[in-house]
Amino acid sequence: MSVAPALPISPGLPVEIGQIEKALGRLWEDSGDTKTRASLINLAIYTESSDAVQTNTEIVSQIAGQHACRALLILANREAPTSAARAWISAHCHTEGKGTRQICSEQITFQLDGNLSSALPNVVFSHLDSDLPLCVWWQAPFHEPIDTKLWSWVDRLIYDSQKWADPLTQIRLARQIGNLGDARTILCDLNWARLVSSRFALANLFDHASALPCLRRIDDVEIAHAPHARTTALLLLGWLAAQLGWTLDSVLSRHAFRDTARHEINFRLVETPGACVSAVRLRAGDAEFALTRDQDAEFFHGSMRGGGVTETTQLFPAGRDRLTDVLLMELSRGGVHPLYHKALAAVEPLLEA
């Protein structure tokens, strides 16, 4: 029999569910004039792991200094034998400039046990900060049936496909969420955000006049990825395929891409210890284009040689891999992700392999 998980560290001041707003008001009254409450968005973070609550609290504290929010941290223990709900409040404050005034973001943490996990929409909607945008970071698998009451009000759904054990099923459920109602929910994959620097570096490899014609003659792709990052490599492969007009050709267990002239492009995903994506090699006949990165290195090493191209080596920024930085990148941008959907469509049959 499952029991309600005990939180390793208290996430704040315990409060009654019905007294949360009053308790928050008293929190700011007691702070005097030294602290100012600020919020740009509502950020709800859903997890089914008690160990994640402390980690998420630390993440909220780090991002609040650059992206003020009201954070709703929700721990759901769906298998608990009894139904119960608990709540805590806290604040994350950061000094503004060189002064003494502090800008603060609120955090409300909930633990929902048993059948109360189905009350998630009521918990979220009852404690939003006015009409600010609602971003939901979903850290658990999506469950069927889809809760239309919750998702039809979400502006941005954040998830990390790198963590999925069953990517094909999960992305199809995410699409269902994105297509609810007037399709207001924007899908935001942190796995896609991780690839910004990789995509930028690959595109810049072909800026040279002698390299650009080779783009249409690529016949072999190899991507080396960390053991946990196969879906990351697939998204990068999908981006290449979508941008260059390749279509996946599958016969029995063999997969290859074909370009618009039906020429075959072979590919390999190689599991290698190291960086999330540690190497990308593209070949066009005798010409080879490569990006390599050592683990924790701040730069990609880019090179091209052979096949009549001007032999060149370059350095490209590798970006930051910390989860906090990737999340901030996603929260700071607006709009949709059309290239992400095209990249997914290009490799979707490979997600179940």
Side-chain angles (χ1 to χ4, degrees):
M1 177 180 292
S2 298
V3 296
L7 297 183
I9 300 177
S10 174
L13 177 69
V15 295
E16 295 292 331
I17 297 287
Q19 300 296 314
I20 289 176
E21 295 301 331
K22 287 184 179 180
L24 285 171
R26 288 195 297 270
L27 182 68
W28 299 121
E29 288 175 2
D30 295 342
S31 68
D33 295 329
T34 62
K35 297 178 180 179
T36 301
R37 186 182 74 88
S39 185
L40 299 174
I41 61 169
N42 293 290
L43 175 62
I45 305 178
Y46 175 90
T47 180
E48 295 174 3
S49 168
S50 60
D51 293 336
V53 174
Q54 179 62 24
T55 301
N56 288 335
T57 297
E58 293 170 359
I59 289 174
V60 171
S61 179
Q62 292 171 34
I63 69 172
Q66 301 181 52
H67 207 91
C69 62
R70 171 175 281 195
L72 309 177
L73 270 59
I74 302 156
L75 168 62
N77 182 24
R78 298 158 56 91
E79 304 302 324
T82 57
S83 297
R86 302 167 65 191
W88 298 261
I89 62 170
S90 58
H92 302 284
C93 299
H94 300 268
T95 303
E96 181 183 27
K98 297 181 180 179
T100 58
R101 179 174 293 277
Q102 292 183 308
I103 304 300
C104 302
S105 292
E106 298 169 330
Q107 176 178 315
I108 311 172
T109 304
F110 298 92
Q111 180 173 337
L112 305 178
D113 297 330
N115 291 333
L116 279 182
S117 61
S118 63
L120 181 60
N122 295 332
V123 169
V124 172
F125 297 150
S126 298
H127 298 93
L128 295 179
D129 191 359
S130 65
D131 58 352
L132 293 173
L134 172 57
C135 302
V136 173
W137 181 10
W138 197 263
Q139 297 180 344
F142 296 115
H143 303 291
E144 294 186 281
I146 294 299
D147 189 338
T148 56
K149 182 180 179 182
L150 171 65
W151 295 117
S152 59
W153 288 95
V154 174
D155 294 288
R156 302 184 78 83
L157 169 58
I158 302 170
Y159 52 86
D160 190 349
S161 64
Q162 192 181 88
K163 308 294 184 183
W164 288 341
D166 184 1
L168 186 60
T169 298
Q170 290 299 302
I171 196 57
R172 288 175 177 172
L173 290 173
R175 282 203 188 109
Q176 287 184 37
I177 294 169
N179 291 330
L180 287 174
D182 58 358
R184 60 175 283 166
T185 303
I186 297 171
L187 303 184
C188 308
D189 189 350
L190 297 181
N191 211 13
W192 179 249
R194 284 189 187 94
L195 289 171
V196 167
S197 298
S198 305
R199 292 186 282 126
F200 177 84
L202 275 174
N204 276 271
L205 260 185
F206 290 89
D207 272 353
H208 197 282
S210 67
L212 187 58
C214 295
L215 265 179
R216 298 298 174 184
R217 303 200 305 269
I218 292 174
D219 51 32
D220 190 83
V221 178
E222 180 178 288
I223 301 176
H225 62 87
H228 62 278
R230 181 176 182 272
T231 53
T232 316
L234 279 175
L235 281 174
L236 185 57
L237 179 64
W239 171 74
L240 279 170
Q243 293 301 91
L244 297 175
W246 301 345
T247 54
L248 189 62
D249 188 11
S250 300
V251 178
L252 298 177
S253 60
R254 185 179 185 276
H255 305 283
F257 287 97
R258 294 192 181 276
D259 61 19
T260 53
R262 300 299 295 167
H263 297 139
E264 186 174 86
I265 301 102
N266 295 307
F267 69 90
R268 291 174 303 285
L269 303 183
V270 182
E271 189 175 295
T272 306
C276 183
V277 173
S278 56
V280 182
R281 290 181 173 83
L282 310 177
R283 296 178 181 87
D286 294 331
E288 180 181 272
F289 303 84
L291 280 182
T292 59
R293 181 190 182 190
D294 296 330
Q295 189 168 11
D296 300 325
E298 296 183 0
F299 294 93
F300 288 105
H301 290 266
S303 66
M304 59 183 190
R305 61 185 180 186
V309 302
T310 303
E311 187 165 335
T312 305
T313 58
Q314 296 173 268
L315 290 178
F316 301 103
R320 296 181 178 180
D321 292 333
R322 285 195 319 158
L323 183 57
T324 304
D325 296 321
V326 177
L327 179 62
L328 267 173
M329 186 191 313
E330 187 56 58
L331 291 176
S332 299
R333 64 159 294 164
V336 297
H337 298 284
L339 290 182
Y340 170 68
H341 293 281
K342 291 179 180 179
L344 266 179
V347 295
E348 186 167 335
L350 302 174
L351 291 175
E352 64 179 346

